[in-house]
Amino acid sequence: MKTIALMRLKEVEVLINNRQYSGAYYLSGYVIECALKACIARKTQKFDFPDKKTVLDSYTHDLEKLVKVAQLENELKFHLKNPDFNSRWLSVIQWNEESRYQKHSKQKTIDIYQSIKDPTHGVLQWLQQHW
């Protein structure tokens, strides 16, 4: 999943560079979804038989639910105390799978992209520590 997350990020960059902002916004959310699912997968050891509830709860596009399944809620609460990370998280958490049916502005797209990619306080940088 981490490979897919990074691949989706490159696709977002291509779309932004070609002024396809709605598609870039939509894929941006999948970057974080895939990153969270990579965090969940990392918690499963080879030859483990995962808990059924965990498996079923992983089949969602809801980023907040995926944070819980990845057991990152406490760490997220800690990071949200940082105003820079908090603002980036708020930008990312507005995304949902229904975004594919909506038109998104250049600014909203750049905001989510920067919130994901920021090298110091970005959401993806935080998640990469856990995958």
Side-chain angles (χ1 to χ4, degrees):
M1 287 307 253
K2 59 185 171 181
T3 303
I4 294 172
L6 296 173
M7 183 173 59
R8 292 289 170 258
L9 185 62
K10 288 181 182 181
E11 292 168 349
V12 167
E13 292 166 353
V14 169
L15 288 169
I16 288 173
N17 288 336
N18 286 282
R19 297 188 307 264
Q20 300 300 308
Y21 302 115
S22 294
Y25 182 87
Y26 172 61
L27 273 183
S28 293
Y30 280 111
V31 171
I32 299 304
E33 179 182 326
C34 290
L36 283 164
K37 289 182 178 181
C39 295
I40 294 166
R42 183 170 188 226
K43 294 186 181 297
T44 304
Q45 301 300 315
K46 189 174 184 178
F47 304 116
D48 270 0
F49 194 79
D51 174 69
K52 183 178 181 180
K53 181 174 177 9
T54 302
V55 171
L56 294 175
D57 288 348
S58 299
Y59 280 87
T60 184
H61 301 288
D62 184 316
L63 302 180
E64 290 178 304
K65 286 182 183 177
L66 290 171
V67 166
K68 290 177 185 172
V69 178
Q71 301 172 348
L72 294 172
E73 314 102 316
N74 289 335
E75 188 172 330
L76 177 60
K77 287 178 188 175
F78 173 78
H79 283 285
L80 290 175
K81 294 176 185 175
N82 177 316
D84 293 321
F85 181 85
N86 189 313
S87 67
R88 283 157 183 77
W89 178 253
L90 290 175
S91 176
V92 168
I93 205 65
Q94 291 178 28
W95 177 90
N96 63 55
E97 66 181 298
E98 298 299 313
S99 298
R100 65 182 166 223
Y101 302 118
Q102 301 163 350
K103 184 174 181 178
H104 300 282
S105 69
K106 176 181 179 180
Q107 188 58 56
K108 187 174 182 181
T109 302
I110 297 302
D111 288 347
I112 195 171
Y113 173 74
Q114 289 175 341
S115 295
I116 290 168
K117 184 124 179 175
D118 183 283
T120 308
H121 302 290
V123 175
L124 185 59
Q125 183 216 25
W126 169 60
L127 290 173
Q128 285 176 320
Q129 298 169 23
H130 302 284
W131 69 22

